[in-house]
Amino acid sequence: MRFHTTAYKELFAHGLEMRYYWLLSILLAMIFAWSHTQSPLFYSNQNQYLLHAAGKVPWGHLSQDWLANTRDPTPVFSGGATILWKTVGVWSFQVIYFLALMGYFLLLSHLVRVVFSLKWHFGWACVFILLHAGILRFASDRLIGVDYPWFFHCGLASQYILGPGLQPSVFGVVVLAGIVAYSSGRTLLAVFLVAAANLVHSTYLLAAAMLTAGFILDHLLRRDWKTALKCGGLALLTVSPIVIFNWLKFGPADAELFRQSQAIIAWDRIPHHTLLSRWFDWIAAVQVGWILLAVAFLYRTRLFVPLLTTCILAAVGTLMVLQTHHATLALMFPWRISAVLVPIATAINLGFLFSKIRCAPTWCQGIGIVILLFTTGGAFYLYYNKLAYREPEGENAAMDYVASTATAEDLYLVPARFAKPTTKRGVFSSTFSRGPKRDAIVYFEMARFRLTTGARLFVDFKSIPYYADDIIEWKRRVERCVRWFGQSSWNEELIAEMKQEGITHVVVPTQTPITSSHLELKFEGGTYRVYQLK
């Protein structure tokens, strides 16, 4: 009887300990999500990825916008966003992103606990939160001039899981969940999760293939042929619908047209993601070393072979892009897996450090609490003073006017141009940088025009289509825009071209000297004028 009573007490105590662990983990995850901060709606890439949903809601007059009616590369994401938008409201996007941030923290926290058999790691959690905290990134940007903490969780070539807000890349958390599942011995669940992430964002296809190859090799080395075969079969079964969909919707109907469109996207629109000569600098080299250090710490664990295999395959793919300069291969982003590997590396390297540190509990807890107060208070400071996710203030007045007056028949033309060539290496985050001056004209940022105003737009540089014919059309529109705004006198012939495109209104920077008797001034405010074509 005494034995059973003792065993029951031990079991009860263990249950309380686990309950305490998970409650504290969830609390820390909430602190992490708050400290990380997120952008207001709508910001940056959300103007691209929420556009199709906005057209279906509909939001303003975007159901008739040209770009909103091109082929959607992320239909699952758009479908889910549309349902939430209609039934709950746009505020739900920020709730979902908050939950994704919590999931990211809990997954990596669990991974560290499994790998290093840590009973508790409050110190690790506090430092991990600090490295992701908006206030530290803000301080780094303002004091040093570069947001260096960003590189502890952003992959190579500005590829990341956690961006400023909800967008398809956030579902890289599902890939992360697959890797964590594999570390716990749940192989088939891991394969399914890694492959299923592509249902939302198929840019993870190559990354999923690399990880699955690592899982299969790991089981082959153990002579577990049966599980290796199951891994391959499950992965193919899961990704087949995604591959078929992409091939049918975005495959090359015309080989030459497809080649041209791929080159436009790779070299003209997103060279900071595709050109190694643009993004590979000393920081990227340090990030590669950071990943390899973590893989070394994972030696003799279940993750060593899969992650080492993934690193080797990513390196081979990167070298192939460097050698061939092939646009389609570059757009498969062999280095995309680094968006997952860098956060894992940060978690593992910190975990190894804290597994070796012997610190007095009182001191550790005291320092940890100070860090948490700093990150949570810092997030409140950033939100309250609007010191992050800055947009050009000079655009606000014109956009407010358009939002209040636009009709379904109106089609607006705003300044757009191709990015200027640069020889500067490296990619950096401007999330916590100082915003543009009030009188600044920022061509790239007027991409928020559609979702901010609800008005139809002729073209902008930021938001792009994905089907070959549409990409060619997008380039044609940008080229026309560049030519039109490059002229100071808009004569009858130029206005006729605009009318032929269906344009009814033009938003012109006040600094741009344009004269025309065919334009009627409707509004002037901030750094823009709004004209209507007579």
Side-chain angles (χ1 to χ4, degrees):
M1 184 67 179
R2 182 181 300 171
F3 170 78
H4 291 295
T5 303
T6 304
Y8 176 78
K9 287 182 177 179
E10 290 178 355
L11 183 62
F12 181 72
H14 178 69
L16 285 177
E17 180 184 336
M18 291 305 297
R19 181 179 298 180
Y20 171 79
Y21 166 78
W22 281 110
L23 285 174
L24 195 52
S25 293
I26 291 171
L27 177 60
L28 288 171
M30 294 174 69
I31 292 173
F32 172 86
W34 169 260
S35 299
H36 181 278
T37 73
Q38 62 174 296
S39 66
L41 295 171
F42 302 97
Y43 181 79
S44 189
N45 290 348
Q46 289 181 332
N47 294 292
Q48 164 89 44
Y49 290 112
L50 291 174
L51 181 59
H52 284 88
K56 293 181 177 68
V57 170
W59 183 257
H61 310 292
L62 294 179
S63 59
Q64 301 174 52
D65 182 80
W66 166 71
L67 188 59
N69 286 284
T70 57
R71 300 188 184 189
D72 187 358
T74 55
V76 173
F77 178 83
S78 297
T82 303
I83 293 170
L84 287 172
W85 207 328
K86 286 182 176 180
T87 59
V88 183
V90 291
W91 62 269
S92 60
F93 300 160
Q94 293 177 302
V95 174
I96 291 175
Y97 187 57
F98 191 88
L99 294 175
L101 289 169
M102 289 180 61
Y104 172 95
F105 175 85
L106 290 171
L107 285 167
L108 290 174
S109 174
H110 181 71
L111 177 64
V112 170
R113 191 167 182 265
V114 168
V115 169
F116 297 105
S117 301
L118 296 177
K119 186 177 181 181
W120 180 238
H121 44 82
F122 182 70
W124 173 91
C126 293
V127 175
F128 190 75
I129 290 171
L130 179 64
L131 289 177
H132 289 74
I135 189 63
L136 185 67
R137 296 178 58 187
F138 171 80
S140 176
D141 183 271
R142 298 302 170 88
L143 297 176
I144 308 174
V146 177
D147 180 2
Y148 283 114
W150 184 60
F151 296 107
F152 283 105
H153 43 94
C154 173
L156 303 172
S158 193
Q159 303 280 323
Y160 50 75
I161 294 177
L162 302 181
L166 182 66
Q167 59 188 51
S169 67
V170 173
F171 290 84
V173 170
V174 180
V175 178
L176 197 60
I179 295 172
V180 174
Y182 194 83
S183 71
S184 301
R186 307 181 71 177
T187 300
L188 295 182
L189 176 62
V191 171
F192 173 75
L193 290 172
V194 165
N198 293 280
L199 289 168
V200 181
H201 201 20
S202 56
T203 192
Y204 287 110
L205 271 172
L206 187 57
M210 292 174 179
L211 284 168
T212 303
F215 296 155
I216 292 173
L217 178 61
D218 187 36
H219 283 280
L220 290 177
L221 292 174
R222 300 180 191 183
R223 299 186 181 278
D224 186 355
W225 310 95
K226 187 177 180 180
T227 303
L229 188 61
K230 287 180 180 179
C231 287
L234 180 60
L236 288 174
L237 185 65
T238 307
V239 302
S240 291
I242 304 162
V243 173
I244 292 170
F245 168 82
N246 281 306
W247 180 262
L248 293 177
K249 284 287 186 180
F250 302 100
D254 179 277
E256 179 58 25
L257 193 67
F258 183 79
R259 185 195 65 77
Q260 292 177 18
S261 67
Q262 296 285 280
I264 291 169
I265 297 297
W267 315 134
D268 294 336
R269 174 58 188 84
I270 54 170
H272 55 292
H273 290 318
T274 56
L275 280 173
L276 272 76
S277 60
R278 173 77 178 272
W279 60 258
F280 193 84
D281 62 347
W282 70 268
I283 296 177
V286 171
Q287 286 182 296
V288 172
W290 187 245
I291 293 171
L292 294 178
L293 179 63
V295 172
F297 289 149
L298 289 170
Y299 184 62
R300 296 187 183 279
T301 70
R302 284 180 56 86
L303 288 179
F304 177 72
V305 171
L307 294 192
L308 180 61
T309 303
T310 299
C311 289
I312 293 171
L313 292 175
V316 171
T318 301
L319 290 174
M320 288 176 63
V321 173
L322 189 61
Q323 285 294 110
T324 63
H325 198 65
H326 197 283
T328 302
L329 182 57
L331 290 173
M332 293 178 72
F333 306 116
W335 44 85
R336 174 78 186 186
I337 188 61
S338 65
V340 179
L341 294 181
V342 170
I344 288 177
T346 297
I348 293 299
N349 292 338
L350 285 178
F352 178 82
L353 177 64
F354 277 92
S355 69
K356 302 300 181 184
I357 290 177
R358 295 292 179 264
C359 178
T362 304
W363 277 97
C364 287
Q365 291 175 11
I367 294 172
I369 290 171
V370 170
I371 290 174
L372 297 183
L373 290 173
F374 172 69
T375 59
T376 52
F380 178 80
Y381 173 75
L382 294 174
Y383 280 132
Y384 184 78
N385 292 288
K386 299 180 180 180
L387 294 173
Y389 313 104
R390 303 285 295 274
E391 299 278 16
E393 295 180 19
E395 299 174 351
N396 294 343
M399 288 195 183
D400 289 343
Y401 169 78
V402 173
S404 63
T405 60
T407 67
E409 290 74 30
D410 296 340
L411 178 63
Y412 281 80
L413 174 71
V414 301
R417 65 186 179 199
F418 296 99
K420 295 180 179 179
T422 178
T423 57
K424 185 179 180 181
R425 282 181 173 266
V427 287
F428 303 93
S429 172
S430 59
T431 299
F432 295 92
S433 299
R434 288 183 175 86
K437 295 180 180 179
R438 278 183 171 272
D439 58 348
I441 305 298
V442 187
Y443 282 67
F444 190 74
E445 290 298 328
M446 217 163 189
R448 64 188 177 117
F449 185 91
R450 285 186 176 94
L451 292 184
T452 300
T453 65
R456 297 191 302 139
L457 187 62
F458 179 65
V459 73
D460 71 88
F461 181 75
K462 175 76 171 175
S463 301
I464 54 175
Y466 281 77
Y467 183 56
D469 291 358
D470 295 329
I471 294 170
I472 300 297
E473 171 63 13
W474 171 83
K475 184 180 181 182
R476 184 192 73 83
R477 292 184 178 219
V478 174
E479 287 174 339
R480 281 212 151 187
C481 195
V482 170
R483 181 168 63 83
W484 290 337
F485 278 95
Q487 300 182 44
S488 59
S489 178
W490 288 11
N491 56 28
E492 186 175 353
E493 182 181 354
L494 188 147
I495 294 294
E497 288 182 9
M498 293 183 182
K499 288 183 177 180
Q500 189 175 9
E501 298 284 358
I503 295 168
T504 61
H505 293 75
V506 183
V507 181
V508 181
T510 54
Q511 297 177 4
T512 303
I514 289 177
T515 58
S516 176
S517 60
H518 304 280
L519 296 177
E520 180 183 353
L521 180 64
K522 289 293 184 179
F523 175 83
E524 182 174 2
T527 54
Y528 289 89
R529 299 188 183 101
V530 180
Y531 293 95
Q532 182 175 358
L533 274 65
K534 291 182 180 179

